[in-house]
Amino acid sequence: MLAQEAALQQKISAIQELLTSVEANKLTFNQVLKTTSPGYYDFTVNEVNSKGNEVVTSYSFALSDVNKNSVRSFTKRDVILIELTVKGKQKLIKRTTDGGDKVVYLPSLTMYGLNADNGRDLENAIEDAIPIANELDESLLVLNSYPEHLQWLKNNIGNVSLPKQQITQQITTDTQIPGFVVLEQVPGSKKERFEFNLSLLNPNSVNYKISGDEFLIEIGTKRGIAGIKHFSEDILKGYTDKVLFYASSLANGKNIHKVLKGVVPLAETEFNSSKPDISSVENALSFLNKHIDAIESDGRTTTQNIALEENMATFSLKETVSDKNEEHLNFFNLTDINQNGISFKDKKTRLYLVLNTNKGAYYIGHSLNGEAENYEKQLFVYFNSYDDAIIGKEALKFLIEHYENEIEETEAPETSLEDALSLLSNEIKPVYNDNLQHEQQIELLETETSTFRFIKVLSTSKKTIENVFEFSAQDLNKQNSKVKVSGKRVWAEIGTKSGEKLVKVYEDGKVQNYENKIEIEAPTIENAKKIVEILKRLAASQNKL
């Protein structure tokens, strides 16, 4: 590195010798280029008019930021100008005027040539120095391990002095959670705090965010997930998808930019290696219940729990807001949840996972304070932090996949009339839904024609209606039999072949129009699934006769 510094300084000396006082028609430009640190320079122009009045403008920049192909000399009225432009036209040149009271950041600066030959010589000298400046810039800050990157950030993200305000800034870490950092900032009198895991960030999103005299480095999250906790005056305000760091100087800002890009992949490795073992049902369930037990957010306390009986889940959520208490219970089959459809969401100060059912089916039972509610297709599971939610998502995906793998993929065996009748008689049950009561039964009417009779008696406080459906198992279409849900109601819908109206219907003993389906009420989704499965097996056996 010392050899590179010496080689670059030799090139800079050549530029300094070419910079002279330049007299124009009404102004004289006195120019000075000084090295502030290896690769970083202050270029000062003192404009003097005919009355002796002076205007001093200073530019601070890194030569490695300059685009070699953009350096050019050209004539403008009575002066020769040499223009230097930053790569990508980023505003990485700090211009200071009014004795240091006014600071702005620009994408370019101009130097002055004594004449055309001097202008071309300056252009060539600057172009000649840039490759060495690039090499030196790469070697100035070399960090390897995650601890080295983290320590650099802690040491170098600090207080910032601007012409009109002082900004207090510091980073702290939590050794118990690899990658987790807390960024505290006080721009003026308002305290801001951001809590996040470095592994959440997207290293490709690092960019300079410069406004007026503020030099900031912005970094966003992967996939734009709002997983950064934002506090103002120690009050949680919500979640955001980006965070900004104040830089105390151009060099400091460039280094923060570089270290942020480098630390994220290392933090991700650290975080992943620290994850708890969730490769068993017991461990996955234990992690979930430990990290969803007590959630404080949005002025409410939320207590959650997941209980499993094989693949059947009961999710309880108790919520307290002021003096109002709510208790929600959800009942569902884990295999009905789309493991690839679990997503992160936030609303105000609440962070949660959204669980979606396969194909958006309304298969999640719901009760509120003991009263049945409509079936749903989504479930929200709340977490205190994005770190917990990441592992929570993996635990849920493991549980779903585990029980999916236990389901036999082979088609269920066919069944005889007598066996089907026995199985259906066990599954077809009375159903109570609000003020409606359904008494149901099925019987085998005639073996030779495989004819069944299904009786459904609907009762309310005011009336009773008996519906009778007679159908042949030979007319059933297993492809047109499904579980149906509407509001709080669940039923097994059994269709006929080609949708033909082959089901004979009676209402209170009177013959009605033929139908092309039978609807069997069910108290639960699982009960309806079993009824559909039995009738599909029956239909398959009859169609082979």
Side-chain angles (χ1 to χ4, degrees), residues 294-431:
I295 310 298
E296 300 285 343
S297 64
D298 202 21
R300 68 187 72 196
T301 301
T302 305
T303 303
Q304 304 163 104
N305 181 267
I306 300 175
L308 293 180
E309 186 172 338
E310 294 300 325
N311 56 327
M312 298 305 299
T314 300
F315 176 68
S316 63
L317 183 149
K318 296 179 182 179
E319 203 158 66
T320 303
V321 185
S322 300
D323 58 349
K324 181 182 177 182
N325 297 310
E326 288 184 353
E327 183 172 357
H328 299 260
L329 287 177
N330 292 99
F331 315 93
F332 58 97
N333 188 325
L334 275 170
T335 63
D336 286 332
I337 302 298
N338 180 0
Q339 64 167 301
N340 297 316
I342 302 174
S343 59
F344 299 93
K345 293 289 182 181
D346 69 285
K347 186 177 181 181
K348 294 184 180 178
T349 62
R350 313 197 80 187
L351 176 70
Y352 53 95
L353 290 177
V354 181
L355 280 61
N356 294 284
T357 58
N358 293 314
K359 298 181 180 179
Y362 286 82
Y363 278 5
I364 300 175
H366 179 209
S367 71
L368 172 60
N369 296 333
E371 296 292 329
E373 297 287 317
N374 292 344
Y375 280 82
E376 298 175 345
K377 61 180 180 178
Q378 283 187 333
L379 181 69
F380 297 162
V381 182
Y382 296 91
F383 289 85
N384 269 321
S385 73
Y386 185 79
D387 304 58
D388 293 343
I390 288 175
I391 305 172
K393 179 180 179 180
E394 293 175 2
L396 286 164
K397 290 183 70 172
F398 167 80
L399 291 171
I400 294 167
E401 187 173 6
H402 171 80
Y403 287 111
E404 283 180 343
N405 291 337
E406 287 194 346
I407 298 174
E408 293 186 12
E409 295 184 2
T410 57
E411 191 170 343
E414 298 167 5
T415 183
S416 66
L417 293 171
E418 292 75 15
D419 287 344
L421 178 62
S422 175
L423 292 169
L424 287 169
S425 296
N426 288 332
E427 294 298 336
I428 294 176
K429 305 172 182 179
V431 175

Side-chain angles (χ1 to χ4, degrees), residues 44-60:
T44 302
V45 180
N46 184 3
E47 297 180 13
V48 184
N49 64 18
S50 57
K51 295 181 179 180
N53 297 323
E54 299 182 1
V55 175
V56 178
T57 304
S58 181
Y59 300 88
S60 301

Side-chain angles (χ1 to χ4, degrees), residues 186-248:
V186 185
S189 60
K190 192 174 182 180
K191 180 181 178 182
E192 307 285 346
R193 186 168 88 249
F194 300 88
E195 297 180 358
F196 56 96
N197 198 297
L198 289 166
S199 64
L200 159 68
L201 305 179
N202 177 5
N204 296 322
S205 72
V206 184
N207 67 82
Y208 298 105
K209 197 79 172 180
I210 299 167
S211 177
D213 59 2
E214 293 182 343
F215 191 113
L216 301 108
I217 299 86
E218 178 185 74
I219 185 168
T221 60
K222 294 182 178 74
R223 299 178 298 281
I225 292 170
I228 299 172
K229 259 185 174 180
H230 173 216
F231 296 81
S232 183
E233 299 295 350
D234 295 321
I235 298 172
L236 179 61
K237 306 300 290 184
Y239 291 82
T240 181
D241 61 357
K242 58 177 66 71
V243 66
L244 294 162
F245 299 85
Y246 288 89
S248 58

Side-chain angles (χ1 to χ4, degrees), residues 475-477 480 494-500 502-503 516-517:
D475 294 329
L476 299 182
N477 179 4
N480 199 25
I494 314 302
T496 59
K497 294 176 182 177
S498 302
E500 293 185 70
L502 302 173
V503 180
N516 60 3
K517 62 185 177 183

Side-chain angles (χ1 to χ4, degrees), residues 435-450:
N435 296 322
L436 301 178
Q437 176 179 326
H438 295 90
E439 294 291 342
Q440 305 175 113
Q441 67 180 69
I442 193 167
E443 58 190 46
L444 181 58
L445 192 61
E446 188 178 312
T447 303
E448 186 176 344
T449 58
S450 306

Side-chain angles (χ1 to χ4, degrees), residues 146 150 154 172-182 196-197:
Y146 170 69
L150 193 60
K154 290 170 68 175
T172 55
T173 60
D174 184 341
T175 56
Q176 301 301 311
I177 310 174
F180 181 81
V181 299
V182 177
F196 56 96
N197 198 297

Side-chain angles (χ1 to χ4, degrees), residues 75-93:
T75 304
K76 186 176 181 181
R77 296 193 181 97
D78 58 345
V79 291
I80 302 294
L81 300 178
I82 301 89
E83 184 179 61
L84 287 68
T85 302
V86 175
K87 298 168 187 173
K89 295 185 178 180
Q90 297 185 90
K91 295 180 179 180
L92 295 181
I93 297 173

Side-chain angles (χ1 to χ4, degrees), residues 64-176:
S64 59
D65 289 332
V66 176
N67 181 354
K68 178 182 176 181
N69 296 324
S70 73
V71 180
R72 65 189 184 109
S73 63
F74 59 97
T75 304
K76 186 176 181 181
R77 296 193 181 97
D78 58 345
V79 291
I80 302 294
L81 300 178
I82 301 89
E83 184 179 61
L84 287 68
T85 302
V86 175
K87 298 168 187 173
K89 295 185 178 180
Q90 297 185 90
K91 295 180 179 180
L92 295 181
I93 297 173
K94 180 181 178 181
R95 186 184 71 186
T96 305
T97 54
D98 294 346
D101 289 340
K102 188 174 181 179
V103 174
V104 295
Y105 287 85
L106 305 170
S108 62
L109 66 83
T110 52
M111 296 177 175
Y112 296 87
L114 182 63
N115 50 45
D117 289 336
N118 177 254
R120 282 190 292 271
D121 290 343
L122 269 170
E123 179 184 346
N124 293 332
I126 293 167
E127 289 177 345
D128 194 35
I130 289 174
I132 301 176
N134 290 335
E135 292 176 10
L136 178 62
D137 184 64
E138 290 296 321
S139 65
L140 282 176
L141 180 62
V142 179
L143 303 173
N144 297 306
S145 68
Y146 170 69
E148 287 177 341
H149 282 76
L150 193 60
Q151 191 60 49
W152 189 94
L153 290 172
K154 290 170 68 175
N155 292 343
N156 293 277
I157 292 178
N159 299 342
V160 175
S161 296
L162 298 176
K164 296 182 180 179
Q165 67 172 330
Q166 299 293 314
I167 296 167
T168 303
Q169 181 179 235
Q170 69 171 351
I171 275 186
T172 55
T173 60
D174 184 341
T175 56
Q176 301 301 311

